[in-house]
């Protein structure tokens, strides 16, 4: 059992890396942003509340995040990759009380590059596959290569929400690096690199733990 947390600004590639790690090491991918988007699509009570915050680029209040985590996580034999959780000090306290965290991987990215990457990001509204209009666009404009559905910007990838989300990261999430660093379990990786190079480094870290 190995539990990994990926922390990084929006656009740092944590979703991509988490997915690759989950597939490679047979871990369960816990992506709170995607879980909220599913609730929003299904118009659940939690989705209706979350959408108001997500659209504005705000974090969803902790109590709803804990509700989401509790209903989404089942014990997984091999371990978990947390992607997008924790994002606040209270969430960090919550996670260490319930899970033994083996490694925090901090995907470090300058804020200007993060903004550039998010601005060019589009996502399939059905299967969630993400594309970069700059470096890896869909083969057919606006159509998902994977499932043929419509590809477009996420509601929170609009310019007003992007600045808010990046400042939320600096204000609330950055401090988690110091919080976990006390236990000596943080490794910082330069995320300003191509997916394969970042993946090689994160896979080595996780592979050494398994
Ligand atoms: P992401 O896909 O990880 O960028 O998440 C999209 C949005 O979902 C974020 O901008 C937040 O509004 C919300 N969200 C996801 N995870 C959390 C979390 N752990 N705490 C609070 N809000 C979250």
């Amino acid at each position: 059992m190995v539990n990994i947390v990926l922390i990084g600004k929006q656009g740092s590639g944590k979703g991509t890396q988490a997915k690759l790690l989950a597939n490679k090491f047979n871990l369960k991918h816990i992506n709170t942003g995607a879980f909220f988007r599913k609730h929003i699509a299904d118009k659940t009570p939690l989705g209706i509340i979350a959408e108001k915050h997500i659209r504005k680029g705000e974090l969803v209040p902790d109590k709803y995040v804990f509700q989401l985590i509790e209903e989404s996580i089942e014990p997984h034999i091999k371990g978990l990759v947390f992607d997008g959780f924790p994002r606040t000090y209270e969430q960090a306290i919550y996670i260490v009380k319930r899970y033994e965290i083996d490694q925090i991987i901090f995907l470090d990215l300058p804020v200007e590059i993060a903004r550039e990457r998010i601005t060019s990001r589009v996502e399939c509204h059905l299967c969630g596959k993400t594309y970069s209009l700059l470096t890896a666009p869909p083969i057919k404009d606006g159509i998902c290569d994977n499932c043929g559905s419509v590809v477009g910007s996420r509601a929170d990838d609009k310019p007003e929400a992007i600045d808010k989300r990046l400042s939320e990261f600096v204000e609330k999430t950055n401090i988690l690096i110091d919080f976990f660093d006390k236990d000596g379990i943080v490794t910082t990786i330069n995320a300003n690199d191509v997916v394969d190079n970042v993946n090689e480094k994160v896979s080595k870290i996780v592979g050494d733990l398994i």
Side-chain angles (χ1 to χ4, degrees):
M1 181 90 186
V2 60
N3 294 324
I4 310 292
V5 172
L6 295 184
I7 295 182
K9 287 186 194 82
Q10 295 74 10
S12 62
K14 52 182 185 346
T16 303
Q17 295 299 334
K19 209 178 287 166
L20 291 170
L21 282 179
N23 288 340
K24 184 164 188 171
F25 297 104
N26 189 21
L27 306 172
K28 173 98 175 131
H29 181 189
I30 308 297
N31 178 346
T32 45
F35 293 165
F36 276 132
R37 284 188 284 282
K38 171 90 173 73
H39 272 275
I40 293 170
D42 293 346
K43 298 188 166 47
T44 67
L46 183 58
I48 291 165
I49 294 167
E51 187 174 22
K52 289 188 192 135
H53 297 280
I54 291 177
R55 282 195 160 271
K56 288 190 266 181
E58 295 168 0
L59 292 181
V60 177
D62 287 333
K63 68 171 182 175
Y64 301 113
V65 178
F66 298 150
Q67 185 184 330
L68 180 80
I69 289 283
E70 268 147 39
E71 67 169 44
S72 314
I73 302 190
E74 298 139 22
H76 192 273
I77 198 98
K78 285 285 197 132
L80 307 167
V81 187
F82 289 95
D83 157 17
F85 178 86
R87 270 174 148 124
T88 64
Y89 180 75
E90 289 69 24
Q91 293 180 19
I93 301 284
Y94 178 99
I95 201 172
V96 295
K97 277 193 185 148
R98 287 164 179 80
Y99 301 93
E100 195 164 313
I101 301 300
D102 298 284
Q103 186 65 224
I104 308 285
I105 300 176
F106 173 40
L107 296 175
D108 195 19
L109 190 69
V111 74
E112 325 73 74
I113 310 277
R115 190 176 288 111
E116 195 179 288
R117 284 192 185 176
I118 314 169
T119 314
S120 65
R121 175 165 72 184
V122 287
E123 186 178 277
C124 173
H125 295 311
L126 191 66
C127 74
K129 183 171 167 60
T130 54
Y131 300 86
S132 163
L133 294 178
L134 285 180
T135 57
I139 296 166
K140 267 200 204 159
D141 198 17
I143 303 293
C144 180
D145 301 348
N146 209 20
C147 72
S149 198
V150 177
V151 164
S153 304
R154 272 167 40 177
D156 57 343
D157 280 350
K158 302 280 186 288
E160 323 73 76
I162 291 174
D163 284 339
K164 175 76 183 156
R165 287 161 68 208
L166 289 169
S167 67
E168 289 271 54
F169 181 88
V170 173
E171 276 168 36
K172 297 179 180 156
T173 312
N174 240 348
I175 52 160
L176 302 187
I177 311 299
D178 293 336
F179 174 88
F180 289 111
D181 214 17
K182 292 198 293 287
D183 301 325
I185 56 167
V186 179
T187 306
T188 299
I189 302 273
N190 172 19
N192 191 9
D193 201 345
V194 294
V195 172
D196 287 353
N197 291 350
V198 177
N199 185 242
E200 201 177 304
K201 291 179 188 157
V202 296
S203 292
K204 165 93 179 69
I205 296 167
V206 177
D208 286 349
L209 292 167
I210 287 178

